[in-house]
Amino acid sequence: MRVPSLPRPLAGAARAVRGGAAPTGAGIRRRNTLRWRLTQFYTALLAALLTTVAATTLLIMRNNLITGINRDLNTIYGQFVEVLPSLNLTPFNTDNRDAVGDLRSLRYQFPNYALQIERLTFYDLPGVTSRLADADTPAERKSLLDDLNFLRNEERESTGIDRQKPITLSDAQLAELIRSPDGQLLIDQDVQEVYPDKPTPMRVLVRLASLSLQPSPLGLPGSNETLAIVYVGRSVDDIQHTLADLRNVIVLLFLAGLITAGVGAYLLAGRALRPLGLVQRAAEGIGGQNLTERVPEPETGDEVQALAGALNSMLGRLEDSFEAQRRFTSDASHELRTPVTAISGHASYLLRRTSPSGQQQESLKIIRSESERLTNLIASLLQLARSDSGALVMARDPILSGLFLAEIARELMPLAQAQNSRLPVAGQEVTFEGDADRLKQVIINLVSNALKAGARTITLSSQPEEDGTEVRLSVTDDGPGIPGDQLDRLFDRFYRLEDSRSRDVGGAGLGLSIARGIVEAHEGRIWLESELGKGTAAHVQLPVGDVPVLDDEDVP
């Protein structure tokens, strides 16, 4: 008889359900959870927005401050030009050098500014502009600029500036000033003032214009003008300090906002994903014994509720499929038991009451043997059906692990001796609760598998786990071993190794499936460890349970 299999998607789900829930978060690093990814995404997004806002704010603030300084420099330039005639600045070629005025008297009138003037005597603005425009070769341009630089150095006056370190213009800046339509140039330069030891960063307005440096003898405006370069500089330390303070405030607000946003996003994501966590935990608790249960459907009206509904629909389909499979297995096993028993009985009758020929006798023995094997298979299917339906009830009696394993070893000793194998018992004595008959069936199955594999030494052992709440029963052999990729598949129904000899000795590939069902009914787990050429170890881990304290006289 061949039991029909489930469709592949349902079969995979069935194996997952029968195998129990996987450990929460197995194979998943916590740092990569959806909650953390959402938190990182929104925090990074806010960081990008805050960085953009901060950079824009600083840029706008700096531009506004620089624009204010530019306006202030133009205002001071206008005031400076108005007072220049009263200073009576004598040209370079004067015959009376002692009558030369200077700018030092303006220090108290313009205390926060650096002022410098350079007279370009013998030149006028249109002439300088046209000569620079007509200079076709670098040599011609250099000759003109050298002449202008000579006059600038010789006819320079300043106030608030160290005269040994005046404000200077490079040839490129001087040429740019001359070509400028408004005769104006704004530069940023470190200026050495009179008293400070180190240069002061300044914003400097440079103007090239014809100015009245002396009072007009005829009282007519513009009648006594000289081409000059005027420098008006103002310190930008206050701007730098303001921008530095603003940067510090922005950084503090940035960090505070980022931390607040990160914590808020983490909490908000946790709250939003909480229904999904409830669905996950409920789904993990559903196994082959409680397929009637369903995951909660939160009334959120979103994808989480839709997911919970889809899971419940899938569980319903799985339950129907499992139930159909159980009914078929149970019904088919019951229906097959009667004819198989009749076949075996008639074969035995013919062997006992008739005188068949040698060939007939051999055929009858084969019929009886195969009938007995089929009877065992039907019994195994019935037991699996009961296990799947939850009808497999386990007794809970105290068991002494050492005595329990020793009894199994004595029972199987004749079979082991027939194959020249040994069955030693080792380990510690542990008292635990369980169904002795069912667990005996599990251990016998494991020992039988080792004997079928040709093991010569099969050790039965027991030991408590570190926390004392569980006991581990182990069957270790020195057989040929099992390939690692087939260890988990051995618990699948009707699965056998390619080189398995169990078919020749009556195996059907259901023993380990039955063993797993019995162990899981005890709320334990069973697994195999093996290495090719070195043997196999089968472990059964069971909860100790609520066992009574036994005295020495209680132990037989």
Side-chain angles (χ1 to χ4, degrees):
M1 180 192 67
R2 182 177 182 274
V3 179
S5 59
L6 293 172
R8 288 190 176 182
L10 290 180
R15 283 196 296 270
V17 171
R18 284 197 298 267
T24 303
I28 300 175
R29 295 185 301 177
R30 283 296 179 184
R31 69 187 66 177
N32 287 333
T33 59
L34 179 59
R35 185 178 187 180
W36 273 113
R37 291 201 299 271
L38 288 174
T39 301
Q40 293 169 359
F41 171 76
Y42 287 117
T43 304
L45 180 61
L46 181 62
L49 292 176
L50 289 178
T51 301
T52 303
V53 171
T56 304
T57 301
L58 286 172
L59 181 62
I60 293 175
M61 179 63 71
R62 183 182 184 279
N63 290 339
N64 289 339
L65 292 174
I66 293 298
T67 301
I69 286 185
N70 293 342
R71 287 197 297 264
D72 180 61
L73 292 176
N74 278 285
T75 301
I76 297 301
Y77 170 79
Q79 296 175 3
F80 175 63
V81 169
E82 289 181 0
V83 301
L84 273 178
S86 63
L87 298 179
N88 192 23
L89 298 179
T90 305
F92 171 67
N93 62 347
T94 181
D95 296 331
N96 186 6
R97 295 292 297 172
D98 295 335
V100 175
D102 57 35
L103 301 182
R104 286 176 291 185
S105 60
L106 298 179
R107 185 58 180 168
Y108 297 102
Q109 186 173 352
F110 303 99
N112 299 322
Y113 299 89
L115 302 173
Q116 179 175 303
I117 184 171
E118 297 170 347
R119 293 177 292 260
L120 302 180
T121 310
F122 312 122
Y123 285 95
D124 58 13
L125 185 57
V128 171
T129 304
S130 62
R131 280 194 60 185
L132 182 62
D134 295 338
D136 297 329
T137 64
E140 293 177 349
R141 287 194 294 271
K142 188 175 186 307
S143 175
L144 172 62
L145 295 176
D146 287 344
D147 293 342
L148 295 177
N149 287 330
F150 175 78
L151 290 175
R152 290 170 54 212
N153 293 333
E154 292 296 332
E155 297 198 43
R156 178 184 291 129
E157 295 289 339
S158 63
T159 179
I161 303 175
D162 186 345
R163 296 197 175 199
Q164 301 300 321
K165 299 178 180 179
I167 303 175
T168 58
L169 293 177
S170 65
D171 288 348
Q173 289 175 330
L174 180 59
E176 181 182 355
L177 176 64
I178 295 172
R179 294 193 189 97
S180 176
D182 55 358
Q184 175 176 305
L185 187 65
L186 286 165
I187 61 174
D188 293 313
Q189 191 174 106
D190 290 339
V191 178
Q192 182 64 56
E193 296 184 272
V194 178
Y195 298 108
D197 295 333
K198 61 181 180 179
T200 302
M202 287 191 177
R203 181 79 168 171
V204 181
L205 170 66
V206 186
R207 294 291 294 268
L208 174 63
S210 297
L211 303 176
S212 296
L213 304 181
Q214 296 174 328
S216 176
L218 302 177
L220 299 176
S223 60
N224 191 20
E225 292 185 345
T226 302
L227 184 63
I229 300 176
V230 177
Y231 302 81
V232 181
R234 173 181 164 181
S235 172
V236 293
D237 279 339
D238 52 347
I239 292 180
Q240 293 180 349
H241 292 157
T242 300
L243 292 177
D245 292 341
L246 182 59
R247 276 195 300 270
N248 293 336
V249 171
I250 288 177
V251 169
L252 291 177
L253 292 177
F254 177 85
L255 293 177
L258 210 59
I259 294 173
T260 303
V263 173
Y266 183 79
L267 296 177
L268 184 61
R271 183 174 181 179
L273 296 174
R274 188 177 301 157
L276 190 59
L278 295 176
V279 171
Q280 174 196 355
R281 287 189 291 273
E284 289 175 347
I286 297 177
Q289 307 300 328
N290 58 345
L291 275 177
T292 56
E293 296 185 8
R294 296 293 182 266
V295 299
E297 295 189 22
E299 298 295 332
T300 55
D302 55 13
E303 290 82 357
V304 177
Q305 184 177 0
L307 175 62
L311 284 175
N312 286 333
S313 299
M314 182 189 69
L315 288 173
R317 293 191 297 272
L318 279 175
E319 182 185 5
D320 294 341
S321 178
F322 267 55
E323 187 60 31
Q325 184 188 38
R326 290 167 186 160
R327 283 198 304 268
F328 174 81
T329 303
S330 179
D331 294 345
S333 300
H334 280 291
E335 293 297 327
L336 289 174
R337 176 176 290 179
T338 300
V340 169
T341 302
I343 292 172
S344 177
H346 282 286
S348 298
Y349 174 81
L350 291 175
L351 285 172
R352 290 195 310 269
R353 298 299 179 90
T354 63
S355 299
S357 64
Q359 187 175 1
Q360 292 173 340
Q361 187 176 11
E362 182 179 356
S363 297
L364 288 172
K365 288 181 179 180
I366 292 175
I367 292 173
R368 184 176 63 180
S369 175
E370 291 301 314
S371 298
E372 291 174 354
R373 192 170 75 88
L374 191 56
T375 300
N376 293 332
L377 176 60
I378 293 172
S380 297
L381 290 174
L382 281 173
Q383 186 168 359
L384 285 174
R386 295 191 189 100
S387 176
D388 289 342
S389 63
L392 191 62
V393 180
M394 299 294 167
R396 297 290 181 176
D397 298 316
I399 300 174
L400 296 174
S401 62
L403 293 175
F404 173 69
L405 295 178
E407 181 182 349
I408 295 176
R410 284 194 301 271
E411 183 175 333
L412 296 178
M413 187 61 68
L415 181 60
Q417 290 176 346
Q419 296 187 204
N420 297 322
S421 299
R422 297 171 53 248
L423 284 176
V425 178
Q428 303 179 34
E429 188 75 78
V430 181
T431 305
F432 65 98
E433 279 191 336
D435 190 321
D437 293 335
R438 299 291 189 182
L439 293 176
K440 182 178 179 180
Q441 182 180 353
V442 172
I443 302 300
I444 289 177
N445 180 274
L446 298 176
V447 174
S448 298
N449 288 340
L451 290 173
K452 292 172 186 177
R456 288 295 174 258
T457 301
I458 305 170
T459 304
L460 309 183
S461 62
S462 64
Q463 61 180 2
E465 293 298 317
E466 292 182 359
D467 56 4
T469 61
E470 292 181 317
V471 60
R472 180 181 299 185
L473 307 178
S474 302
V475 177
T476 307
D477 66 63
D478 59 355
I482 303 170
D485 59 345
Q486 300 190 45
L487 289 177
D488 290 335
R489 297 187 62 189
L490 286 174
F491 291 97
D492 293 344
R493 299 175 184 183
F494 298 104
Y495 180 81
R496 284 174 292 188
L497 296 174
E498 294 180 359
D499 59 349
S500 174
R501 295 175 296 165
S502 57
R503 185 182 300 274
D504 299 333
V505 292
L510 293 175
L512 287 178
S513 297
I514 295 173
R516 183 174 63 179
I518 293 173
V519 172
E520 289 179 352
H522 281 81
E523 299 178 357
R525 64 189 186 99
I526 181 173
W527 73 96
L528 301 176
E529 296 175 354
S530 184
E531 186 174 352
L532 288 177
K534 293 187 178 181
T536 303
H539 302 287
V540 176
Q541 189 162 309
L542 302 167
V544 170
D546 187 15
V547 295
V549 178
L550 301 179
D551 296 329
D552 294 339
E553 57 270 15
D554 296 326
V555 181

